[in-house]
Amino acid sequence: MLLIATSYGAPHIESRVREHRLELYARHMAVTGDETESAATGDISAYQIHNPAPSLPQGVMMSGSPNSMHCPQQHTEEATRKREVRLLKNREAARECRRKKKEYVKCLENRVAVLENQNKTLIEELKALKDLYCHKAN
DNA sequence: TTAGCGTTCCGTCATCTGCG
DNA sequence: CGCAGATGACGGAACGCTAA
């Protein structure tokens, strides 16, 4: 499993990258004061540059009653706002999901370590009993 | 010095899933 | 059945390491 192997491989990189990103994020927020925008990480991904606001992605309903949508302008503004809210929520959900996954993997690794120790102990115990049995037999 | 590679994290999209 | 949240997949950015 790649994740397990690599997470032990270079923890120093991980922490440094995280620090760097947090710094960028903090700087970005300080400058813009914007909390809904797309570059909450501070670095604008190439994806955003190459794909500026796809027309009507992922579950964005053409919602809003006719009362609230008088003109196309309002209509697109509402759609944009909904998209931003959805992206923000998904961004946070992805972050949380990754955190949980990491925790889960750590738990599994701990369990592996415990079981390996138990296995080793049992093997030694078995060996000792075998020795004892042999001596008695002789 | 630097190009190339490996690793980690992130944001986004697509899809799945559970709930009302 | 529709919606919101969770998650897998993908591609990009940043960084460290290493061989040339």
Side-chain angles (χ1 to χ4, degrees), chain A residues 4 8 103-117:
Chain A
I4 294 173
Y8 279 114
E103 206 170 293
Y104 174 68
V105 168
K106 212 179 256 180
C107 278
L108 287 181
E109 287 170 347
N110 284 342
R111 184 154 170 71
V112 166
V114 167
L115 290 175
E116 277 176 350
N117 274 338

Short mmCIF file of all heavy atoms in Angstrom, two decimals, chain A residues 4 8 103-117:
data_model
loop_
_atom_site.label_atom_id
_atom_site.label_comp_id
_atom_site.label_asym_id
_atom_site.label_seq_id
_atom_site.Cartn_x
_atom_site.Cartn_y
_atom_site.Cartn_z
N ILE A 4 0.84 3.87 3.06
CA ILE A 4 1.52 3.48 4.29
C ILE A 4 3.02 3.64 4.12
O ILE A 4 3.69 4.22 4.94
CB ILE A 4 1.20 2.02 4.65
CG1 ILE A 4 -0.28 1.89 4.98
CG2 ILE A 4 2.05 1.55 5.79
CD1 ILE A 4 -0.72 0.48 5.18
N TYR A 8 5.59 7.03 5.94
CA TYR A 8 6.72 6.88 6.83
C TYR A 8 8.00 7.36 6.17
O TYR A 8 8.98 7.61 6.81
CB TYR A 8 6.88 5.41 7.23
CG TYR A 8 5.96 5.02 8.32
CD1 TYR A 8 4.95 4.09 8.11
CD2 TYR A 8 6.07 5.61 9.57
CE1 TYR A 8 4.10 3.75 9.13
CE2 TYR A 8 5.23 5.27 10.59
CZ TYR A 8 4.24 4.33 10.37
OH TYR A 8 3.41 3.99 11.38
N GLU A 103 -6.16 8.71 9.73
CA GLU A 103 -6.32 8.21 11.09
C GLU A 103 -6.59 6.71 11.05
O GLU A 103 -6.03 5.94 11.84
CB GLU A 103 -7.49 8.92 11.75
CG GLU A 103 -7.42 8.99 13.24
CD GLU A 103 -8.47 9.93 13.79
OE1 GLU A 103 -8.38 11.15 13.53
OE2 GLU A 103 -9.41 9.44 14.42
N TYR A 104 -7.44 6.31 10.13
CA TYR A 104 -7.80 4.90 9.98
C TYR A 104 -6.56 4.06 9.64
O TYR A 104 -6.33 2.99 10.21
CB TYR A 104 -8.86 4.77 8.89
CG TYR A 104 -9.21 3.35 8.54
CD1 TYR A 104 -9.88 2.53 9.45
CD2 TYR A 104 -8.88 2.83 7.29
CE1 TYR A 104 -10.20 1.24 9.12
CE2 TYR A 104 -9.20 1.53 6.96
CZ TYR A 104 -9.87 0.73 7.87
OH TYR A 104 -10.19 -0.56 7.53
N VAL A 105 -5.78 4.57 8.72
CA VAL A 105 -4.57 3.85 8.31
C VAL A 105 -3.61 3.73 9.49
O VAL A 105 -3.00 2.68 9.72
CB VAL A 105 -3.89 4.56 7.12
CG1 VAL A 105 -2.50 3.99 6.89
CG2 VAL A 105 -4.73 4.41 5.87
N LYS A 106 -3.51 4.81 10.27
CA LYS A 106 -2.64 4.78 11.44
C LYS A 106 -3.09 3.70 12.42
O LYS A 106 -2.28 2.96 12.98
CB LYS A 106 -2.63 6.15 12.11
CG LYS A 106 -1.31 6.50 12.76
CD LYS A 106 -1.37 7.87 13.39
CE LYS A 106 -0.63 8.90 12.56
NZ LYS A 106 -0.68 10.25 13.17
N CYS A 107 -4.41 3.62 12.62
CA CYS A 107 -4.96 2.59 13.51
C CYS A 107 -4.60 1.20 13.01
O CYS A 107 -4.19 0.34 13.80
CB CYS A 107 -6.48 2.72 13.58
SG CYS A 107 -7.03 3.97 14.73
N LEU A 108 -4.75 1.00 11.72
CA LEU A 108 -4.42 -0.31 11.15
C LEU A 108 -2.95 -0.64 11.35
O LEU A 108 -2.59 -1.77 11.70
CB LEU A 108 -4.76 -0.34 9.66
CG LEU A 108 -6.23 -0.39 9.28
CD1 LEU A 108 -6.38 -0.44 7.76
CD2 LEU A 108 -6.92 -1.59 9.90
N GLU A 109 -2.10 0.36 11.17
CA GLU A 109 -0.66 0.14 11.35
C GLU A 109 -0.35 -0.24 12.80
O GLU A 109 0.46 -1.14 13.05
CB GLU A 109 0.11 1.38 10.92
CG GLU A 109 0.13 1.57 9.41
CD GLU A 109 0.68 2.92 9.01
OE1 GLU A 109 0.82 3.80 9.88
OE2 GLU A 109 0.94 3.11 7.82
N ASN A 110 -1.02 0.44 13.71
CA ASN A 110 -0.82 0.11 15.13
C ASN A 110 -1.24 -1.32 15.41
O ASN A 110 -0.56 -2.07 16.11
CB ASN A 110 -1.63 1.07 16.01
CG ASN A 110 -0.98 2.42 16.10
OD1 ASN A 110 0.20 2.57 15.80
ND2 ASN A 110 -1.75 3.42 16.48
N ARG A 111 -2.37 -1.68 14.84
CA ARG A 111 -2.89 -3.04 15.04
C ARG A 111 -1.93 -4.08 14.47
O ARG A 111 -1.70 -5.13 15.09
CB ARG A 111 -4.26 -3.17 14.39
CG ARG A 111 -4.91 -4.49 14.62
CD ARG A 111 -6.43 -4.40 14.54
NE ARG A 111 -7.04 -5.71 14.53
CZ ARG A 111 -7.09 -6.52 15.59
NH1 ARG A 111 -6.54 -6.13 16.73
NH2 ARG A 111 -7.65 -7.71 15.51
N VAL A 112 -1.38 -3.79 13.34
CA VAL A 112 -0.39 -4.70 12.74
C VAL A 112 0.78 -4.88 13.69
O VAL A 112 1.25 -6.01 13.93
CB VAL A 112 0.09 -4.15 11.38
CG1 VAL A 112 1.34 -4.89 10.92
CG2 VAL A 112 -1.00 -4.29 10.34
N ALA A 113 1.25 -3.77 14.26
CA ALA A 113 2.40 -3.85 15.16
C ALA A 113 2.07 -4.71 16.37
O ALA A 113 2.88 -5.57 16.78
CB ALA A 113 2.80 -2.44 15.59
N VAL A 114 0.89 -4.51 16.93
CA VAL A 114 0.48 -5.29 18.11
C VAL A 114 0.41 -6.77 17.77
O VAL A 114 0.92 -7.63 18.50
CB VAL A 114 -0.89 -4.80 18.63
CG1 VAL A 114 -1.48 -5.78 19.61
CG2 VAL A 114 -0.76 -3.43 19.27
N LEU A 115 -0.22 -7.08 16.65
CA LEU A 115 -0.37 -8.49 16.26
C LEU A 115 0.97 -9.15 15.96
O LEU A 115 1.18 -10.32 16.26
CB LEU A 115 -1.31 -8.59 15.05
CG LEU A 115 -2.77 -8.27 15.35
CD1 LEU A 115 -3.60 -8.26 14.07
CD2 LEU A 115 -3.35 -9.24 16.35
N GLU A 116 1.87 -8.37 15.38
CA GLU A 116 3.20 -8.92 15.10
C GLU A 116 3.91 -9.27 16.41
O GLU A 116 4.58 -10.31 16.51
CB GLU A 116 4.02 -7.93 14.28
CG GLU A 116 3.71 -8.02 12.79
CD GLU A 116 4.45 -6.97 11.97
OE1 GLU A 116 5.06 -6.07 12.58
OE2 GLU A 116 4.40 -7.05 10.74
N ASN A 117 3.76 -8.40 17.38
CA ASN A 117 4.37 -8.67 18.68
C ASN A 117 3.78 -9.91 19.32
O ASN A 117 4.51 -10.77 19.84
CB ASN A 117 4.18 -7.47 19.61
CG ASN A 117 5.28 -6.45 19.44
OD1 ASN A 117 6.37 -6.78 18.95
ND2 ASN A 117 5.01 -5.21 19.80
#
